[in-house]
Amino acid sequence: MGGASERGGRILTPRFDTIIRGGAVVTPTDVEHVDIAIIGERIAGLLPWGHGRADREIDATGTVITPGGIDTHTHIHWPHDGLFTADDFASATRAAALGGTTTIVDFVPPGLGSLRTRCHDRREEAAGHAAIDFGFHPILTGDSPEVLGEIGQVIDDGFVSFKMYTTYEDRRVDDGAAWYLMQTIAAHGGLPGFHAENHELIQHTLERQERTGATTVRDFPESRPALAEAESIAMVSLYAKRLGTPVYIFHVSGSDALDAVRKANADGGRVYAETCTHYLVFDESVFAGPDSWKYVISPPLRSSADSEDLWAALADGTVTSVGSDHCAYLIDAKRVPIDDHRHVPAGAPGIEARTPLLFSESVRRFGLVQYTQQTATRAAEILGMPSKGSIAVGKDADLVLWDTSATWSGRYAVSASPDTFSLYEQSTGSGLPRDVWVRGSQVVRGGKFVGDATHGKFLARSARTSALSVTARASV
């Protein structure tokens, strides 16, 4: 325990800024009955109940206290067809905080001009407008000498994880570009990541659907077969193993993809698999129901057996993190007037629902310690956030006090914008965030947002020890 010492037979209890008393605190290995002492932005002590003095004391009796959630995958104020999604950093991070998320990792959109300039512009877009802390994955769409030359600089700036697409004509990298981009990222200690689907297989599948007229929203799952995902994961995992670097796979959707991840790791690779809330909660039966347009998400929702496999993989660590893949399209932009999945933009909002849904289901299945590993601890370790992800002395005081007796329906959540829609309106569960702190500052009290919309700060994340030296790179 920290925060108390013994001298001359007396217990000296230093004074703290804040002590949160009486909660059941979920530490990395157990649930402990301790008080949390905070000085400034950090946890300064885990004290026996009733010890210590503070300028402010919070009664947490009856609550469960977990580290703040880390959403590894959001698209806030995202460009689409010359417009932007319905939210901004202020509204989206407010919704995230109300749901118990204290850190997000968003993306730097592709575009013209310098990679480093785009990274800095995206950081400035969020700075002074976010209620919680934020980082970014830059998106790479090619291996030009200019981009390769800037990768080391943006890693030094704290943008350490990247996203590349192996599909979508307007942004994909081919196999050769993927190799050289991964090589350069690894050389500088960054983490390459992929939206992994085999482009050619998807293109041929779409062409066959068009010839047979099978292009309704109900046909969407068949347009992007699970085999496409598995094949692409196998390819980038082989590259990663040859380079001696980990690789991060965004939004793993089901069993075929998981099998590719398991095989790569069994063969000596380090493949970190992220899934998303919707793959755990829904299955492809939604495409036969009302408002099926809402569920056009890429990769598609799979079967109920795939969802159960994802839960099992989350428990055993094959799936290392869970993102929302939040993308708050305007309703009219998503709900197109014709029943053709090719015209429906892929993606859906969900930044506010991710953590309550996971708390309700993961705690029931696996317990509180596993829940914190799945929603915070592993993401912090993998994505280079040493001050985040767990309740321990020296860590940021990112804390969520849960009212475990509260029950909810999906309609309770404050969304990132009233102009968008929700996948989770019919969902129900138990456990709601009562109070939320971000770096020692309270942003939610009694389920109401009380934070400062400018409190969030950019996380300059930590690079790894380089897998390769910059000059002695792996050869093809």
Side-chain angles (χ1 to χ4, degrees), residues 255-288:
S255 298
D256 283 0
L258 284 171
D259 286 346
V261 171
R262 291 180 180 117
K263 184 178 187 305
N265 285 330
D267 289 344
R270 283 182 292 163
V271 182
Y272 300 131
E274 171 204 272
T275 195
C276 298
T277 326
H278 40 264
Y279 299 120
L280 296 165
V281 173
F282 301 112
D283 62 55
E284 61 193 1
S285 64
V286 298
F287 292 105

Side-chain angles (χ1 to χ4, degrees), residues 205-206 208-216 219-220 222-223 341:
T205 303
L206 285 168
R208 290 174 65 86
Q209 283 193 327
E210 186 172 9
R211 287 198 301 272
T212 60
T215 57
T216 70
D219 299 310
F220 174 68
E222 287 74 35
S223 73
H341 68 73

Side-chain angles (χ1 to χ4, degrees), residues 345-388:
I351 201 169
E352 71 286 346
R354 184 190 70 101
T355 314
L357 282 161
L358 290 170
F359 186 87
S360 182
E361 187 65 15
S362 182
V363 171
R364 181 184 70 81
R365 288 173 179 257
F366 312 124
L368 286 162
V369 173
Q370 275 272 45
Y371 162 81
T372 64
Q373 292 286 328
Q374 295 162 1
T375 59
T377 309
R378 294 177 193 160
E381 293 170 351
I382 291 164
L383 294 179
M385 308 177 197
S387 67
K388 303 290 188 184

Side-chain angles (χ1 to χ4, degrees), residues 224-252:
R224 309 185 80 87
L227 178 61
E229 197 178 354
E231 189 281 334
S232 188
I233 290 171
M235 184 273 288
V236 300
S237 299
L238 176 62
Y239 281 13
K241 182 182 176 184
R242 178 67 63 89
L243 290 167
T245 181
V247 63
Y248 191 88
I249 307 298
F250 292 94
H251 46 48
V252 166

Side-chain angles (χ1 to χ4, degrees), residues 406-423:
T407 58
W408 52 266
S409 70
R411 293 182 181 277
Y412 97 91
V414 176
S415 70
S417 169
D419 300 317
T420 189
F421 59 94
S422 174
L423 300 180

Side-chain angles (χ1 to χ4, degrees), residues 300-466:
L301 300 169
R302 310 292 184 191
S303 70
S304 58
D306 288 278
S307 295
E308 285 303 312
D309 198 4
L310 287 169
W311 279 113
L314 194 58
D316 68 23
T318 303
V319 170
T320 52
S321 53
V322 182
S324 65
D325 202 355
H326 169 83
C327 197
Y329 292 111
L330 291 164
I331 293 174
D332 289 344
K334 180 77 173 182
R335 186 178 54 197
V336 295
I338 57 173
D339 185 18
D340 186 334
H341 68 73
R342 295 170 299 172
H343 297 281
V344 181
I351 201 169
E352 71 286 346
R354 184 190 70 101
T355 314
L357 282 161
L358 290 170
F359 186 87
S360 182
E361 187 65 15
S362 182
V363 171
R364 181 184 70 81
R365 288 173 179 257
F366 312 124
L368 286 162
V369 173
Q370 275 272 45
Y371 162 81
T372 64
Q373 292 286 328
Q374 295 162 1
T375 59
T377 309
R378 294 177 193 160
E381 293 170 351
I382 291 164
L383 294 179
M385 308 177 197
S387 67
K388 303 290 188 184
S390 60
I391 297 177
V393 173
K395 298 283 189 178
D396 285 352
D398 295 347
L399 305 167
V400 182
L401 276 60
W402 292 89
D403 179 353
T404 59
S405 66
T407 58
W408 52 266
S409 70
R411 293 182 181 277
Y412 97 91
V414 176
S415 70
S417 169
D419 300 317
T420 189
F421 59 94
S422 174
L423 300 180
Y424 305 103
E425 286 183 345
Q426 305 305 315
S427 298
T428 60
S430 59
L432 281 174
R434 190 193 83 181
D435 302 325
V436 179
W437 275 261
V438 177
R439 284 181 289 105
S441 291
Q442 191 165 10
V443 297
V444 175
R445 181 183 302 120
K448 305 296 184 183
F449 183 76
V450 296
D452 180 347
T454 67
H455 178 67
K457 72 175 183 180
F458 172 69
L459 290 174
R461 293 178 288 128
S462 302
R464 302 169 181 275
T465 301
S466 298

Side-chain angles (χ1 to χ4, degrees), residues 100-250:
T101 292
T102 57
T103 302
I104 57 168
V105 190
D106 203 272
F107 294 87
V108 177
L112 301 175
S114 157
L115 170 64
R116 197 177 189 196
T117 298
R118 286 191 285 111
C119 289
H120 289 189
D121 288 348
R122 186 65 164 165
R123 182 183 66 195
E124 291 308 304
E125 181 184 358
H129 301 283
I132 64 177
D133 290 347
F134 56 92
F136 295 104
H137 312 282
I139 293 176
L140 305 177
T141 57
D143 64 335
S144 69
E146 293 77 15
V147 167
L148 294 176
E150 288 187 285
I151 284 173
Q153 296 174 327
V154 301
I155 290 173
D156 288 343
D157 292 338
F159 301 81
V160 303
S161 54
F162 297 81
K163 184 176 185 180
M164 292 160 275
Y165 291 85
T166 61
T167 188
Y168 294 117
E169 204 64 67
D170 62 338
R171 71 196 83 160
R172 67 183 289 251
V173 297
D174 62 26
D175 293 359
W179 169 260
Y180 287 105
L181 288 165
M182 291 178 73
Q183 188 182 95
T184 304
I185 293 166
H188 292 279
L191 177 63
F194 285 89
H195 173 134
E197 293 179 285
N198 181 284
H199 181 71
E200 287 74 18
L201 178 54
I202 289 171
Q203 287 300 104
H204 280 268
T205 303
L206 285 168
E207 289 168 7
R208 290 174 65 86
Q209 283 193 327
E210 186 172 9
R211 287 198 301 272
T212 60
T215 57
T216 70
V217 171
R218 189 166 185 165
D219 299 310
F220 174 68
E222 287 74 35
S223 73
R224 309 185 80 87
L227 178 61
E229 197 178 354
E231 189 281 334
S232 188
I233 290 171
M235 184 273 288
V236 300
S237 299
L238 176 62
Y239 281 13
K241 182 182 176 184
R242 178 67 63 89
L243 290 167
T245 181
V247 63
Y248 191 88
I249 307 298
F250 292 94

